[in-house]
Amino acid sequence: MTYQEVLEHAKNMVGPYCKSCPVCNGLACRNKMPGPGAKGLGTVFIRNYQKWQELCLNMDTIYESTPVDTRLHLFGKTLEIPVFAAPIGSLLRHYGDKMTDLDFYRELVPGCRAAGIAACTGDAKDPQVMAESVGLIGESDGMGIPTLTPWHIENHADILRQKMDLFHKTRPMAIAMAVDAAGLPFFSEIRPQSVEQLKRIVAMTDIPFIIKGVMTVSGAQKALQTGAAAIVVSNHGGRVLDQCPSTAEVLPAIADAVGGRMKILVDGGIRTGLDVFKALALGADGVLIGRPFVNMVYGAGTDGIQVYVDKLKSELTDAMTMCGANKLADINRSMLFGF
C-alpha cells in the first residue's frame, strides 16, 4: 500500500472528527475537541505545521559524500530514523468507536518496533491501559516510552509508585511525563508542578526521564534542574493553550540554552522527512509525530506504520544527500536558508 492508499482506507475508520486529510495541517479539524483539533480558536495546530513549511533548505551537493546514515542512538537503543510515535490517548473519545487505547497500542508498539523506531504510549485512569502498553514495550525489547499524566507526588504517591514498579520490571528505554497535560480539559484534577516536585519524581527511577511540554528557555532550564535526561519541546499539538507560539519558533533558543546538557526532542506539526531534517537543523536530537500515526494504524495497522516510516526515511535521506549531511550529527543551521 502507498501512504495515500492508507489514508483513504483510514477515512472509513477514524470516526466523525478526523478527516484523514492528504496533509494533516489542522485546517479541517481546527478546534474540534473531542476530535484531533486544537484548543480555543484551533490556530496553534495550524501554526505548528505552517512554521515548518516556512523554513527552506540550502542545497549543497559539493562535498565528500558517504552512504547516508539516518540512525539515532539514544538511551542505549538504535532507531532507524530519529522519530518516535507520539503518545496518543482517549482514542474512543477523539477517533470514533473502532479502537480502544489498548487496541491502538497493540498495533502501534510492535509496529513501530518492526519498522525500526519506538512508540510513546499514554496514561489513563484505568491502570490496565498503562500496564498492558508497558508490557508491549517490554516485549518489544524496551523500544518505547510510556508517558505519564503529571500525577503530583504528594497527591498521587501510590499511583506513581505503582507505575514506577511496573517500569522497573519491563525496562522501557525511557519514561516521560507530559507536564503540559495540566491544560487538558479532560484532566481537571491535574495541576502544574514545581521543580522540587519533579525532582522527587525523577529520583524515583534509574531509567532516563523525559519532561514533555517545554516551550520556553526558562522551562528548559528548570527541567534541567530536575535531573531529567531529556525534554520534548511541545505545546501538546495546540491542545492545551490557545495562541501560543509554534514549537519550530521556540526550538532554536531552547537548544542553545540546554543543548549538550540534555537531549532535546520536539513535536508539533512535523509530517515529512524534510520536517524532521529541519527540526534537527534547529537543534533537536529527534522528533515525535502524533496524529499521522493514528491514521496509519487505523488505515492499515502495522503495515501502515511501515509505509509511513519508509516515507519519512526516504524524504530524510534525500534532504541529507542534497544538503551535504552524511549522518545526523552533520545536520546544522547553516543548512537552513537564512540561518
Side-chain angles (χ1 to χ4, degrees), residues 60-66 68 317-326 330:
D60 181 1
T61 56
I62 305 175
Y63 68 99
E64 187 174 345
S65 65
T66 60
V68 168
T317 299
D318 188 51
M320 292 173 67
T321 300
M322 298 305 294
C323 294
N326 292 318
D330 294 337

Side-chain angles (χ1 to χ4, degrees), residues 99-285:
M99 282 191 179
T100 65
D101 287 7
L102 284 176
D103 292 332
F104 179 69
Y105 296 145
R106 287 168 190 147
E107 298 283 347
L108 182 72
V109 175
C112 286
R113 176 70 180 97
I117 65 168
C120 301
T121 57
D123 204 350
K125 293 181 180 179
D126 179 0
Q128 185 60 31
V129 173
M130 179 67 83
E132 185 166 337
S133 61
V134 172
L136 290 166
I137 292 173
E139 293 168 5
S140 298
D141 191 32
M143 289 287 281
I145 301 175
T147 305
L148 292 161
T149 295
W151 306 111
H152 275 238
I153 194 163
E154 289 91 354
N155 301 331
H156 307 103
D158 289 343
I159 292 175
L160 282 168
R161 277 193 294 269
Q162 290 167 7
K163 292 180 188 293
M164 290 297 180
D165 287 345
L166 181 64
F167 303 151
H168 294 152
K169 291 176 183 176
T170 52
R171 306 301 299 184
M173 64 184 293
I175 302 163
M177 177 174 277
V179 295
D180 57 353
L184 288 172
F186 317 111
F187 286 103
S188 58
E189 73 274 21
I190 300 299
R191 296 287 181 271
Q193 305 205 43
S194 69
V195 169
E196 291 304 316
Q197 288 170 323
L198 289 171
K199 275 185 180 179
R200 291 166 61 192
I201 295 171
V202 172
M204 294 175 73
T205 181
D206 63 341
I207 299 170
F209 199 94
I210 302 170
I211 294 179
K212 180 179 183 293
V214 173
M215 283 293 289
T216 64
V217 168
S218 174
Q221 291 169 335
K222 286 185 283 189
L224 185 63
Q225 293 174 37
T226 70
I231 57 173
V232 182
V233 177
S234 174
N235 54 33
H236 217 99
R239 294 169 70 79
V240 294
L241 178 65
D242 195 15
Q243 300 185 39
C244 69
S246 72
T247 52
E249 290 174 293
V250 303
L251 174 59
I254 291 173
D256 289 345
V258 300
R261 292 186 287 170
M262 66 194 319
K263 296 299 182 182
I264 301 171
L265 306 174
V266 63
D267 69 11
I270 296 166
R271 299 293 179 258
T272 68
L274 273 71
D275 297 337
V276 175
F277 182 96
K278 294 170 187 178
L280 270 58
L282 292 181
D285 295 291

